Amino acid sequence: NYIAFHADAVDKLWPLDTRLDKECWWTSQYRQTVTAALRYRSHVLLAKSVIVVNYDHSYEDIGLRWNVTRAFGKAVEQVRAQLPEQLRHCVRDVEDTPHGYPWGTARQRGQRRYGDWNLSMLQENCESQWDSQEVASHRSRG
């Protein structure tokens, strides 16, 4: 995977939490992706036309021994544990998230500052309430 971040979001998503990487080196990246999807739903861009291949890596044999689904599931549980009970469903299960699954419907950034996101903005429909203008616009459409 190739991942890029908006400058406003970097401080909220880094450094990586590598506590679960002993079981699978990719878990910290997956946890970071889950966190980004939770915080910035509909603002996570997926470019399926971009392909990065690293033929020089030497961990293919190790990767075959990893139980990636179990390791990623632990990351999901870590993120869920940080949420109030009524919002835990906003973190998708690994089995329900195929590679390349869209994390919402793409929206323009507008005046949002991604660094300003906080848990109180997260609603039970898993969308974040960014500002009063967005709320008013959402109500007029609804």
Side-chain angles (χ1 to χ4, degrees), residues 4-6 9 13 36-46 102-114 117 126-130 134:
F5 299 97
H6 191 282
L13 298 172
L38 175 71
R39 291 172 179 242
Y40 309 119
R41 182 184 176 109
S42 299
H43 295 271
V44 175
L45 176 64
L46 176 67
W103 300 92
T105 303
R107 292 192 205 150
Q108 291 184 346
R109 177 175 175 241
Q111 299 299 312
R112 293 174 186 88
R113 294 188 47 83
Y114 297 133
W117 187 92
C126 303
E127 296 286 340
S128 291
Q129 182 176 334
W130 285 92
E134 181 174 332

Side-chain angles (χ1 to χ4, degrees), residues 129 131-142:
Q129 182 176 334
D131 57 39
S132 58
Q133 288 178 330
E134 181 174 332
V135 172
S137 171
H138 200 49
R139 285 184 186 146
S140 67
R141 285 182 268 147

